[in-house]
Amino acid sequence: MKQAQATGSAAAGFDPLRPTLLRVAYRMLGSVADAEDVVQEAFIRWMKADRAEVRSPEAFLRRTVTRLCLDQLKSARHRRETYVGPWLPDPIVKEEEGAEDVTLPLMLALERLSPLERAAFLLHDVFGLPFEEVASTIGRDAAACRQLAARARGHVREARPRYRLESQRGLELAEAFFAASRSGDLTSLGALLASDVSLHADGGGKRPAVPRPVLGHGEVMRVHEGLAVFFRKAPSLLIRTGFINGLPGFVTREADGELQTTAFEIEDGRIAAIYVVRNPDKLRHLH
């Protein structure tokens, strides 16, 4: 009985903060499953803590989650080095665009940062924490945290959208891409793509995907010429359009029965980058 009461008391303080903690963990790790594991471990530590002595549960739990993520990133870096093909973050799909603070291109830019740079940038620039709190969270002084965030900002500046695309226009381009790519209308498909378009596909070695980024209009069109033949024999089913990590895109069920997400970075009204997630491990949370 006392154990149940203790668990209920801990959950009462923890559950309202869970969505924020998941956002921190996911943006640090790029994995839904890993973020959920980290937040669950933070809850276990919260249960064991002397909660009466904790002045700010949110700060305590954010610090716990961030430090767990930093530990996780050490092993994640090795996993990324041995990952088969391009790595993309797990797709988060929303019906509405909303105010997405970290888009897919920005998450990829964060991958190039050290774990501490990533933490300092996310906590200060994205979640709005003062550097004094960032310092206590990651175990560095405030001046060092300012330097970490500044270095990170320099690396990710190019990943910020240069202008905001009108939401409906983004969805229209996604729908047009689906129609043209699946029907084999290569003329219409080519007209949607920027001259320097790139294609990134994450199969994780578990489903077929291009083994490295495909760069340039001609090369991307060659890939889709081959896919057009395949889609005529084995069409894919459009499940929904929406926003995938802040970018317009769609979810499909492919001929092998598995889900797939396709997201588009758009510049000057044309598709500048295509991001396809096919690894089933990264799509389980969408079922």
Side-chain angles (χ1 to χ4, degrees):
M1 183 69 175
K2 288 183 178 179
Q3 180 63 35
Q5 288 176 338
T7 301
S9 172
F14 186 90
D15 287 346
L17 299 173
R18 186 182 292 271
T20 297
L21 298 175
L22 280 169
R23 286 177 66 223
V24 172
Y26 171 73
R27 282 154 179 73
M28 283 285 290
L29 301 173
S31 164
V32 171
D34 288 349
E36 290 172 344
D37 288 346
V38 160
V39 171
Q40 187 59 30
E41 175 62 26
F43 177 65
I44 292 170
R45 296 190 182 196
W46 174 241
M47 285 183 60
K48 294 177 179 177
D50 184 355
R51 296 188 294 281
E53 295 297 313
V54 177
R55 285 183 296 176
S56 171
E58 183 172 1
F60 173 90
L61 288 166
R62 186 167 46 230
R63 181 164 58 247
T64 301
V65 164
T66 301
R67 290 178 177 176
L68 287 168
C69 287
L70 289 171
D71 290 341
Q72 184 96 329
L73 284 170
K74 294 172 186 174
S75 60
R77 192 166 289 264
H78 172 71
R79 294 201 306 272
R80 303 282 161 79
E81 288 171 355
T82 59
Y83 195 81
V84 178
W87 179 92
L88 296 175
D90 292 8
I92 301 297
V93 184
K94 297 181 180 179
E95 294 283 355
E96 304 290 335
E97 184 175 20
E100 190 60 41
D101 46 29
V102 180
T103 62
L104 195 156
L106 183 51
M107 290 192 74
L108 291 175
L110 292 176
E111 280 295 301
R112 298 193 290 270
L113 305 179
S114 73
L116 287 175
E117 286 172 340
R118 189 185 315 195
F121 174 81
L122 286 171
L123 292 173
H124 180 267
D125 286 42
V126 174
F127 292 101
L129 300 187
F131 279 117
E132 289 71 19
E133 187 170 340
V134 176
S136 67
T137 299
I138 67 174
R140 296 290 189 277
D141 62 37
C145 290
R146 285 191 181 87
Q147 290 181 336
L148 288 166
R151 282 204 302 269
R153 223 171 280 130
H155 285 296
V156 305
R157 190 171 290 119
E158 289 302 311
R160 294 285 194 186
R162 278 173 278 185
Y163 64 92
R164 193 165 186 81
L165 178 74
E166 197 274 318
S167 302
Q168 189 55 41
R169 178 57 183 153
L171 294 179
E172 288 170 357
L173 285 168
E175 290 168 356
F177 181 96
F178 176 82
S181 62
R182 269 52 176 187
S183 68
D185 184 355
L186 297 176
T187 300
S188 296
L189 182 66
L192 296 171
L193 307 180
S195 61
D196 58 349
V197 64
S198 60
L199 168 63
H200 313 258
D202 181 341
K206 302 191 174 184
R207 293 173 73 198
V210 290
R212 61 187 62 83
V214 180
L215 307 177
H217 191 283
E219 293 300 313
V220 171
M221 285 301 298
R222 266 188 279 280
V223 170
H224 281 92
E225 285 170 12
L227 288 174
V229 176
F230 175 78
F231 287 135
R232 278 197 289 272
K233 300 174 184 175
S236 55
L237 174 68
L238 180 64
I239 302 294
R240 61 190 280 200
T241 56
F243 294 90
I244 301 169
N245 297 98
L247 300 182
F250 51 75
V251 182
T252 52
R253 189 174 299 282
E254 297 302 315
D256 60 3
E258 296 282 357
L259 293 180
Q260 173 177 304
T261 62
T262 306
F264 304 98
E265 190 175 356
I266 297 170
E267 294 182 3
D268 298 326
R270 300 208 175 199
I271 295 170
I274 306 164
Y275 301 98
V276 181
V277 175
R278 291 175 52 78
N279 185 343
D281 294 343
K282 298 187 173 190
L283 300 163
R284 287 193 187 120
H285 63 283
L286 298 182
H287 284 276

